[in-house]
Amino acid sequence: MKTRPSLLLIEDDPQFRLLLTTTLGHHNFIIHAAENALDALELMRSKPPNLLVLDLGLPDIDGQDLIRRLRKRTDLPIIVLSARNQEMDITQALDSGADDYLTKPFSNAELLSRINALLRRAGKAPGGVLEIFQSGELKIELTKRRVFVGTREIHLTPLEFKLLATLAHNAGFVVTHRQLLEKVWGAAFIEHNHYLRIYMGQLRHKLENDPARPRYLLTEPGVGYRLHEEGNAWT
Ligand code: CA
């Protein structure tokens, strides 16, 4: 039996997400759905898809930014979905590395034919995303959940790892306090900035040569944190 292609759908509108999940499921695709960009970046790794269907208007990270983050780690086909008044966004999305687009509302037949065309063009290449991050001495193996500084393996608590992994998925980009709190601790904790300060302090203590002058875990004052990326960090 032929393997069913797997699609990652990134769409914040619950009704539209359900509709697409059901429709595509009926057409023999395996569907994994994410309602925001940070969850999508995590799902890319845990459930590697053959193709991404991405709504440009997402609540947490701008769709353009998400495409750029994804393109650092994967060549998988990306179809973007946009609302009618977003023509500029479509051009930008294609420039950022999207392969095709559809403007809402569109028919199921149209979506299916675009998906199938892109899958044919991509051939039988297995869905894959680069998942080992190395910047300077810092190495993070996302699936094996292992972290090294040079040759020394560093033990992290589950929460510390989750925080570091979220920054790694978005390496080179700032992740806001709110995004980190929501992703790592949950939506009820988005005001608890002191958690972040404490855990970032611990991570720096474990990973940085000089925690007071961090090389990897950078503060973006008043905004959030960014994992510094040196060169081509993903393999
Ligand atoms: Ca949306």
Side-chain angles (χ1 to χ4, degrees):
M1 206 179 88
K2 242 176 80 182
T3 330
R4 296 158 67 198
S6 138
L7 308 183
L8 175 57
L9 169 67
I10 309 160
E11 166 65 78
D12 59 318
D13 179 335
Q15 282 188 352
F16 204 67
R17 197 168 61 239
L18 179 63
L19 179 72
L20 285 183
T21 305
T22 314
T23 309
L24 294 168
H26 283 151
H27 285 85
N28 215 28
F29 293 105
I30 298 167
I31 317 294
H32 299 291
E35 60 182 63
N36 60 53
L38 289 184
D39 287 353
L41 286 159
E42 171 61 27
L43 264 179
M44 275 292 291
R45 184 197 59 77
S46 58
K47 309 240 189 284
N50 295 96
L51 179 144
L52 293 108
V53 179
L54 159 66
D55 177 38
L56 277 182
L58 290 172
D60 54 348
I61 293 173
D62 174 61
Q64 315 290 345
D65 256 3
L66 176 58
I67 296 168
R68 286 192 285 271
R69 289 174 211 206
L70 288 163
R71 274 292 172 247
K72 290 187 173 195
R73 298 173 58 192
T74 182
D75 295 328
L76 288 176
I78 300 176
I79 299 181
V80 296
L81 309 177
S82 76
R84 226 171 229 309
N85 53 2
Q86 292 180 313
E87 269 166 40
M88 274 296 290
D89 295 351
I90 291 169
T91 317
Q92 276 180 31
L94 296 173
D95 285 345
S96 301
D99 297 282
D100 202 354
Y101 70 92
L102 282 168
T103 306
K104 293 176 181 175
F106 48 79
S107 69
N108 290 337
E110 201 176 356
L111 176 62
L112 283 165
S113 82
R114 302 291 181 91
I115 289 175
N116 285 322
L118 279 177
L119 285 175
R120 269 197 307 277
R121 207 197 299 163
K124 283 187 182 149
V129 58
L130 302 177
E131 57 174 348
I132 296 177
F133 174 87
Q134 172 125 35
S135 181
E137 296 263 85
L138 175 66
K139 182 178 178 187
I140 306 167
E141 301 181 358
L142 285 166
T143 295
K144 292 185 180 159
R145 304 176 69 84
R146 279 151 54 111
V147 178
F148 298 84
V149 174
T151 52
R152 192 163 48 98
E153 182 164 4
I154 308 294
H155 175 75
L156 298 184
T157 66
L159 268 180
E160 288 168 354
F161 184 83
K162 200 167 178 187
L163 178 57
L164 183 64
T166 303
L167 289 167
H169 284 309
N170 299 282
F173 294 87
V174 58
V175 188
T176 67
H177 298 132
R178 192 192 169 97
Q179 289 168 344
L180 287 169
L181 286 162
E182 187 171 1
K183 181 73 196 162
V184 177
W185 282 273
F189 294 86
I190 53 173
E191 307 291 340
H192 294 50
N193 273 347
H194 59 285
Y195 282 24
L196 263 181
R197 276 198 300 278
I198 292 165
Y199 274 80
M200 287 301 293
Q202 289 172 198
L203 273 180
R204 281 176 174 153
H205 186 74
K206 291 183 176 183
L207 304 179
E208 299 281 2
N209 246 336
D210 180 356
R213 287 188 305 153
R215 173 180 176 188
Y216 307 113
L217 297 160
L218 306 181
T219 300
E220 298 281 342
V223 183
Y225 296 94
R226 179 165 56 88
L227 184 62
H228 179 59
E229 185 184 54
E230 291 171 17
N232 262 345
W234 291 101
T235 51

